[in-house]
Amino acid sequence: MEFIGVLWNELLMRPMINSLALLADVLFDNFGLSIIVFTILIRIVLIPLTVRQTRSMKKMQELQPRLKSLQERYKDKGPAEKRKLSSETMKLYKEAGVNPIGCLGPLVIQMPIWFGLYRSILRTMPPTPEGLANLSASFYSWNPAISNVPINSKFLGIDLVDFVQGAPLPWNYALPVLVGVTMFLQQKMTMGNQVATSPQQAQTNQIMLWMLPIMFGFFTFQFPAGLAVYILFSNIVGVIIQYYVGGKQPVVLFGRAFLGSAEAREKSLAGASASAAPAAALVEESELEENDEDGQSENVHRQDRRRGNRKRSGNARRRSRRR
Amino acid sequence: MGLNLRLALALAAALFALAACVTDLNPEGGWSGPVEDGEFLYIGSKDGRMVRVARSTGALDQTWTYPAGEDDDLGEIYGTPAISNGVIYGSAFRCNGNDCEGEVFAAHIETGRSAWAAGPVAVKSRLVGAVGVGASTLVVGTSAIDGKDTPGGYLLGLDPTADAGRDLSAQVSRREKWRIPLDGAVWGGVAVAGDVAYFGTLGGTLYAVDLADSDSYTGSPAGRVLWTYDVGGAISGTPHVTGTNVYVGSFSNELLKLNLAYREQNPTGKTLDPSLEWSFDTGEWIWAEPLLVEGVVYVANLPGQVYALSADTGQPQWQTPAEVGKEIVGQPAIFESNRGPALAVASGEKDVAVVVLSSGQVSGELNTRDHGIKSAPLVIGDVIFVHTDSGQFRQYQAGTLSLLKCIEAKGSGKSCD
């Protein structure tokens, strides 16, 4: 356990504390700017992972109908069949070249960064005597920022180590709202123009799109303002990166398309109105399904059967060509 | 529910849980050192009260506590209290984030009752450093008040006089005599010598403030500032004042000796514009107040290296072969060990290192069983008293370094053996 603590401290906390303090030193003794620049650098470093995550999500999306079909085939079967379902599923992933937990990589990597940053902000600008006494041990001896301690924790009238709810008006409300809005925007762009292939997925998409930003907006009240600034700018940079990684796709919001070329915006609007009806139907269907003991959606069945047939005939064609 | 969604929700919940339970924003109970008055030692306990221990028995005096109410406490007490004319003075604070409530208190050492009829003076600030007691003024250094950005802190001048037999209607609301805005928060103690207060700020400025009651300062409390000196790094400890010299360490890693005798004096005879006599770089932050004994200055830096410097020249006479502890915050104390005069250097990690005064060799330690100590040890005769960060009050025999008694300086005062 102690070893993990040392690793956590040496590999994450100390580099973060020193980077943040050094950036603040360079950026006119401004810790707010330091957090923003640090966020941008972190997001830039994570771009390859973001691209990988986007691709992985796309592939997983494409596999959904086939997975659904497999699950349907082995539904209500015994343990032996369930094991077969697992092996079939893994085979499917292998064929498609998808690692089922590959898309989690960036999230898993970002988690310690979030936790680390949360702790680093509090440790770099300690509001308590204990924290200040403990701080010198975190600095590298070569770091010139050590002589600037205590670092000025004020940014745009906000104390970055104080809870957001304790920030002056309008920041105590503006920060949570901005975090929620930018997170919503990022989710919207990450999901892009994905069309749900099942009622469950349609529901999941809706939850991801609405619930997470709202939850984070509320949680932000309890965060130190510095962390809220990090999340806010991480979202903003995420939106920019997603725009380019996703091929400069327009974003459809409240019936209007933004960003992208005029042609792409028109296309998106047309696509959105066309997909709105099926998506709504899927959600409705899912609600119906919950009330239905048999719970089988004919629509999904039909889609799956069609996809299964296409796949089987494709395989047959490939086999005959090989022969 | 999709895997991504579950993971994202788990991440959000974990982050929220972390935000809810993290304690870095709030102080952890202070590190007040003991102070002696006759038969008793007075300590700011970890549960936010002033308590006292009988020297003869080493037991907590259950009949004396301030505040007296079972549910009352003052908050976190960092500064070692000061006793003057039968009254014990101190400060404490508690915070929720940056929302801090501080109190300056005065209690009769006989009864434990407040010496001020209206109770403690409330200040919406972190009150970390020890208070200073002048001839007619009690001085307290603060951080920013009421969450305001500027100034970074104040020096408050309070009327310390006890209320007994006085016209309270004129006193209770007018205890504050003046306040001087500063360039940073005061987390170190205020040293008072010759009715001048010396203290440093986290902004890196050493101040000298005239405490005399003079009409010339009426309407302009800032005029009390006799001089300021930029030491080049945050000052979190208490300056050591002796005669015409001030020794002060800071986060610039240097110990400075300022000589007040070199410069001109103002009309009231107080020295203006101190002159730097020498400086010594210890390579790390200095928090603990230095100690001057027979022409030698002893100073420990925060990571635990101890130096003996010639007070005249600043030249090092020795330094400990290695760091003797971690987070050295309390001033070292001198005592007579079996191997001659020695320094007791309390470590924030654990134990009190015993450093031979003549050579700088570490000859042993007062074993605290892994309890860290950030307050200064107190030596009375052949007994060394230490108040650990966990709230234990430990007493050691100076010669043999053996433990005499250990009690919890809080709650029922039970033995911690």
Side-chain angles (χ1 to χ4, degrees):
Chain A
M1 220 36 208
E2 199 178 327
F3 176 68
I4 293 171
V6 170
L7 276 185
W8 169 261
N9 204 40
E10 295 300 323
L11 295 182
L12 202 73
M13 296 302 295
R14 286 189 78 192
M16 274 192 180
I17 289 170
N18 281 274
S19 308
L20 284 167
L22 192 62
L23 282 169
D25 195 31
V26 173
L27 297 166
F28 322 107
D29 199 18
N30 189 318
F31 202 77
L33 285 180
S34 165
I35 291 175
I36 293 169
V37 172
F38 184 80
T39 310
I40 293 169
L41 292 176
I42 289 282
R43 292 302 304 232
I44 287 173
V45 169
L46 291 178
I47 280 179
L49 283 167
T50 311
V51 173
R52 223 175 104 187
Q53 186 188 19
T54 308
R55 285 185 190 149
S56 195
M57 276 180 74
K58 244 181 193 168
K59 277 187 182 173
M60 287 293 283
Q61 178 79 15
E62 285 162 10
L63 281 182
Q64 283 305 314
R66 293 166 69 186
L67 283 171
K68 179 80 185 167
S69 162
L70 267 179
Q71 282 160 3
E72 290 297 329
R73 202 184 304 155
Y74 289 98
K75 200 177 176 188
D76 302 329
K77 297 279 171 66
E81 280 77 9
K82 293 275 181 202
R83 276 196 294 277
K84 204 169 174 201
L85 168 66
S86 301
S87 69
E88 290 276 320
T89 308
M90 290 313 292
K91 203 172 148 192
L92 189 62
Y93 285 141
K94 209 173 172 185
E95 272 177 18
V98 173
N99 182 348
I101 56 166
C103 62
L104 303 182
L107 269 174
V108 170
I109 286 180
Q110 281 191 68
M111 268 177 72
I113 292 174
W114 279 37
F115 288 128
L117 194 83
Y118 180 81
R119 307 289 303 183
S120 303
I121 288 169
L122 297 180
R123 279 179 63 178
T124 312
M125 298 177 296
T128 66
E130 289 88 349
L132 189 59
N134 186 260
L135 179 61
S136 78
S138 299
F139 273 100
Y140 298 132
S141 56
W142 52 261
N143 192 339
I146 195 167
S147 58
N148 278 353
V149 173
I151 293 167
N152 180 14
S153 62
K154 295 287 193 293
F155 178 63
L156 300 175
I158 314 167
D159 192 333
L160 294 166
V161 286
D162 197 9
F163 297 122
V164 169
Q165 62 187 3
L169 274 168
W171 293 114
N172 52 349
Y173 293 108
L175 272 175
V177 169
L178 286 170
V179 163
V181 168
T182 51
M183 189 167 274
F184 172 82
L185 202 58
Q186 196 183 3
Q187 288 289 103
K188 182 88 182 162
M189 292 182 76
T190 307
M191 291 177 178
N193 297 324
Q194 286 175 11
V195 178
T197 54
S198 69
Q200 284 80 9
Q201 201 190 349
Q203 257 187 343
T204 302
N205 286 354
Q206 288 299 307
I207 293 171
M208 288 279 272
L209 189 58
W210 288 101
M211 203 169 123
L212 269 184
I214 291 171
M215 268 173 66
F216 259 85
F218 276 111
F219 290 174
T220 302
F221 281 107
Q222 283 294 324
F223 291 158
L227 184 66
V229 170
Y230 170 79
I231 297 173
L232 173 62
F233 278 86
S234 182
N235 289 346
I236 291 171
V237 177
V239 164
I240 296 167
I241 291 172
Q242 195 61 45
Y243 178 63
Y244 287 100
V245 169
K248 298 185 184 177
Q249 291 296 314
V251 189
V252 180
L253 285 172
F254 311 112
R256 293 185 66 182
F258 302 91
L259 303 172
S261 64
E263 193 185 340
R265 283 201 296 270
E266 267 177 37
K267 237 184 207 174
S268 290
L269 274 178
S273 54
S275 64
L282 280 172
V283 173
E284 201 175 289
E285 199 175 283
S286 142
E287 281 158 6
L288 282 172
E289 199 175 290
E290 276 167 18
N291 298 326
D292 181 3
E293 279 298 310
D294 296 331
Q296 301 303 316
S297 155
E298 266 310 303
N299 189 20
V300 174
H301 269 308
R302 253 182 268 124
Q303 282 179 1
D304 290 345
R305 274 200 294 275
R306 274 202 299 275
R307 284 193 187 102
N309 290 342
R310 273 204 299 274
K311 168 88 179 150
R312 276 192 290 279
S313 61
N315 287 345
R317 272 200 300 276
R318 271 196 293 278
R319 275 197 296 274
S320 69
R321 267 204 298 273
R322 263 186 238 126
R323 274 188 224 116
Chain B
M1 205 185 276
L3 192 56
N4 275 351
L5 177 62
R6 270 182 287 174
L7 196 81
L9 289 176
L11 169 67
L15 202 60
F16 184 68
L18 189 74
C21 66
V22 77
T23 57
D24 290 357
L25 285 170
N26 299 323
E28 293 165 19
W31 55 57
S32 165
V35 61
E36 179 209 8
D37 187 80
E39 164 56 11
F40 292 100
L41 299 170
Y42 296 80
I43 314 154
S45 76
K46 293 288 284 185
D47 52 8
R49 296 150 186 257
M50 291 306 303
V51 295
R52 73 179 187 183
V53 174
R55 278 177 58 195
S56 54
T57 62
L60 198 67
D61 180 359
Q62 298 287 351
T63 64
W64 194 101
T65 178
Y66 176 81
E70 273 189 15
D71 298 329
D72 293 341
D73 73 271
L74 297 157
E76 325 300 332
I77 308 170
Y78 286 88
T80 299
I83 295 175
S84 175
N85 297 323
V87 176
I88 186 162
Y89 300 97
S91 62
F93 71 101
R94 72 183 86 236
C95 289
N96 179 20
N98 259 8
D99 185 12
C100 297
E101 302 281 348
E103 288 184 328
V104 186
F105 59 86
H108 289 291
I109 57 169
E110 286 301 320
T111 61
R113 295 198 175 163
S114 176
W116 296 335
V121 174
V123 185
K124 285 183 75 67
S125 179
R126 290 185 175 88
L127 305 179
V128 181
V131 300
V133 184
S136 59
T137 306
L138 176 70
V139 273
V140 186
T142 78
S143 299
I145 290 183
D146 213 4
K148 301 263 187 342
D149 288 0
T150 51
Y154 287 93
L155 186 73
L156 302 184
L158 305 179
D159 178 1
T161 327
D163 291 324
R166 305 180 72 208
D167 176 8
L168 296 181
S169 61
Q171 289 300 313
V172 289
S173 60
R174 295 180 190 170
R175 190 146 312 270
E176 184 178 320
K177 293 161 83 173
W178 43 260
R179 63 171 65 186
I180 298 169
L182 308 169
D183 73 337
V186 183
W187 279 17
V190 182
V192 177
D195 226 15
V196 175
Y198 301 90
F199 61 94
T201 66
L202 293 184
T205 304
L206 181 68
Y207 283 79
V209 171
D210 191 358
L211 302 183
D213 288 327
S214 165
D215 291 341
S216 58
Y217 300 132
T218 308
S220 69
R224 291 179 174 275
V225 178
L226 298 172
W227 50 261
T228 60
Y229 192 93
D230 182 357
V231 301
I235 301 170
S236 56
T238 308
H240 188 74
V241 185
T242 169
T244 57
N245 299 309
V246 180
Y247 300 87
V248 62
S250 74
F251 287 6
S252 71
N253 305 342
E254 289 183 325
L255 179 73
L256 308 183
K257 180 187 180 186
L258 302 177
N259 195 321
L260 312 179
Y262 289 173
R263 296 292 174 164
E264 59 182 303
Q265 295 188 327
N266 75 354
T268 60
K270 307 261 166 70
T271 306
L272 298 173
D273 192 10
S275 178
L276 178 66
E277 199 162 307
W278 53 255
S279 66
F280 178 79
D281 192 339
T282 69
E284 296 283 352
W285 290 356
I286 301 171
W287 191 310
E289 180 181 344
L291 177 70
L292 177 70
V293 181
E294 294 174 354
V296 180
V297 185
Y298 300 94
V299 61
N301 63 21
L302 197 61
Q305 194 80 52
V306 185
Y307 297 84
L309 311 170
S310 159
D312 287 337
T313 63
Q315 289 301 307
Q317 297 187 348
W318 53 253
Q319 71 178 71
T320 46
E323 290 165 352
V324 300
K326 277 182 184 169
E327 294 184 20
I328 312 293
V329 170
Q331 184 188 33
I334 193 164
F335 71 101
E336 194 65 35
S337 75
N338 280 349
R339 297 170 68 176
L343 282 178
V345 185
S347 164
E349 184 187 34
K350 62 174 184 174
D351 298 341
V352 178
V354 175
V355 180
V356 177
L357 211 60
S358 56
S359 64
Q361 296 299 311
V362 178
S363 66
E365 79 276 324
L366 308 178
N367 188 335
T368 60
R369 295 197 176 176
D370 290 340
H371 293 272
I373 310 110
K374 294 202 189 71
S375 59
L378 176 68
V379 179
I380 303 174
D382 62 351
V383 181
I384 304 168
F385 301 90
V386 295
H387 185 206
T388 69
D389 294 349
S390 57
Q392 292 183 346
F393 190 61
R394 303 177 79 95
Q395 302 161 46
Y396 296 86
Q397 214 283 323
T400 60
L401 311 181
S402 56
L403 181 70
L404 295 173
K405 198 169 177 77
C406 174
I407 59 163
E408 297 287 343
K410 58 187 176 185
S412 61
K414 63 178 183 185
S415 169
C416 45
D417 293 330

